[in-house]
Amino acid sequence: MSKIKRKHTVPAASKQRHQMEDDSGSDYEVDRHMTLTKIPKTVAEEFPLPKQVRKDVVKRGSAVQVSEDESSEEDEDDEDVNLPTLTKGQIADILQTIKNNKRLVLNVSNVNFSTAKEEIEEHFRKAGRVKSVRIPKRRSSGFAFVEMLDAEGFQKAFLLHGSYLDGRQIRVQLSESGKKKSHQKILLLEQKNAEIRKMRKKNRTKPETKEITLVPKVQPKIVERDPYLDKKKTKPPTKKEIKAYKKQVSLKAKFRNVEMKGIKV
């Protein structure tokens, strides 16, 4: 009788076990057990360039990329930059609609968190005299409140909208005094700021507003002169003048001598 060789059959349970052991080292299983790590920010993301500088870099053809959202925001901000200020009549009309119109308060946003009060005050001194600067302790974004002392400084302060302070382009808008503002007050202030923006765009054709600048007027220096030291220097007499003077002196002396002798001339 011929011996029949029997094939050893592996049970199904052991097959599945072998497959699990083989699949345990697959890439899929490794990826599933990997923990997500935060991508570190680049230096450009942590310390972004100012908008105007970024535009200049992009124009020169560098590798800096500007997203569509940022470019649209920049275009909107650029519309408000370099606009003339308001006229005195426009400022008077706006102040009439404000409850506490005796205080000239401005809202300055997009301020760097490391910027101090003294730096903000020094920046707004270009427009006029600053009464006070207040930075809220609890704030979600960088902003401050600047109160100007007079209407002239309040008028020129709108020209600082779009200027750079501590590496950031600030926005200057109208505000109202008071620490806590209701939702209705905030909406009214937004409406007024929108009206101010429209008025400033219309003021491009007005020569009154074009003349108002942040450049101080240079007054001529008044030099105080000493009445003794700054006298005009007299010219020395000529030879002819000296001879004529001597003749006059000699004639006068002769007449005096004759009169002293009692002789009438």
Side-chain angles (χ1 to χ4, degrees):
M1 291 179 72
S2 60
K3 293 181 181 180
I4 299 168
K5 292 181 180 180
R6 294 181 179 179
K7 294 181 179 179
H8 295 284
T9 57
V10 181
S14 62
K15 278 185 180 181
Q16 289 179 358
R17 195 181 300 161
H18 284 298
Q19 286 178 1
M20 289 291 290
E21 287 175 1
D22 295 336
D23 294 339
S24 62
S26 64
D27 296 335
Y28 178 77
E29 292 292 327
V30 172
D31 291 337
R32 190 177 65 179
H33 291 292
M34 284 177 67
T35 56
L36 296 172
T37 57
K38 292 183 179 179
I39 300 169
K41 289 185 179 181
T42 60
V43 177
E45 289 175 351
E46 287 186 358
F47 306 100
L49 292 171
K51 293 176 183 177
Q52 191 62 36
V53 177
R54 208 182 310 162
K55 280 187 175 182
D56 296 339
V57 173
V58 172
K59 284 179 183 177
R60 290 171 190 169
S62 66
V64 178
Q65 295 180 355
V66 182
S67 63
E68 293 181 0
D69 297 334
E70 288 179 353
S71 61
S72 62
E73 286 177 3
E74 286 175 6
D75 295 336
E76 288 176 2
D77 291 340
D78 289 343
E79 292 180 1
D80 302 337
V81 177
N82 298 326
L83 287 176
T85 186
L86 303 171
T87 60
K88 291 181 179 178
Q90 289 171 346
I91 289 172
D93 293 338
I94 290 165
L95 293 176
Q96 282 180 358
T97 59
I98 296 173
K99 188 176 180 181
N100 300 324
N101 54 8
K102 291 182 180 180
R103 298 181 66 182
L104 308 170
V105 184
L106 295 164
N107 183 0
V108 186
S109 56
N110 199 29
V111 180
N112 199 335
F113 281 93
S114 60
T115 307
K117 288 182 180 181
E118 291 78 12
E119 291 175 323
I120 299 170
E121 186 178 353
E122 187 178 356
H123 188 70
F124 275 82
R125 275 181 196 164
K126 299 173 185 177
R129 291 184 292 174
V130 180
K131 188 176 181 180
S132 63
V133 177
R134 186 173 69 86
I135 299 176
K137 292 180 181 179
R138 296 178 183 177
R139 50 178 177 167
S140 57
S141 59
F143 67 96
F145 296 98
V146 179
E147 185 177 355
M148 303 303 289
L149 192 65
D150 51 9
E152 187 178 353
F154 183 75
Q155 183 184 19
K156 288 185 178 180
F158 286 101
L159 294 172
L160 292 170
H161 178 82
S163 62
Y164 285 91
L165 172 61
D166 202 4
R168 287 198 179 185
Q169 195 173 17
I170 60 171
R171 291 187 290 272
V172 181
Q173 293 183 333
L174 178 71
S175 184
E176 193 174 348
S177 60
K179 292 185 179 180
K180 292 183 180 180
K181 295 180 180 63
S182 62
H183 184 66
Q184 291 182 352
K185 279 187 178 181
I186 293 168
L187 290 174
L188 286 171
L189 286 171
E190 287 179 359
Q191 290 177 2
K192 287 173 186 176
N193 283 312
E195 290 175 5
I196 289 169
R197 208 174 294 117
K198 289 178 183 178
M199 284 190 285
R200 290 181 68 188
K201 287 178 181 178
K202 288 180 181 179
N203 289 345
R204 284 174 176 170
T205 56
K206 293 183 179 181
E208 301 174 2
T209 53
K210 286 182 180 180
E211 293 176 358
I212 301 169
T213 59
L214 293 171
V215 180
K217 294 180 180 179
V218 180
Q219 296 180 354
K221 292 182 179 179
I222 300 169
V223 180
E224 295 182 358
R225 292 184 177 181
D226 194 345
Y228 297 100
L229 298 175
D230 296 332
K231 278 185 179 180
K232 290 183 179 180
K233 293 181 180 180
T234 56
K235 293 180 180 180
T238 60
K239 290 181 179 180
K240 289 182 180 179
E241 290 175 353
I242 292 167
K243 283 182 180 180
Y245 179 73
K246 284 180 178 180
K247 282 182 181 180
Q248 289 179 0
V249 171
S250 61
L251 285 170
K252 285 180 180 178
K254 285 178 182 178
F255 283 121
R256 283 175 188 169
N257 293 330
V258 171
E259 288 177 355
M260 286 174 69
K261 291 177 180 178
I263 301 169
K264 292 182 181 180
V265 180

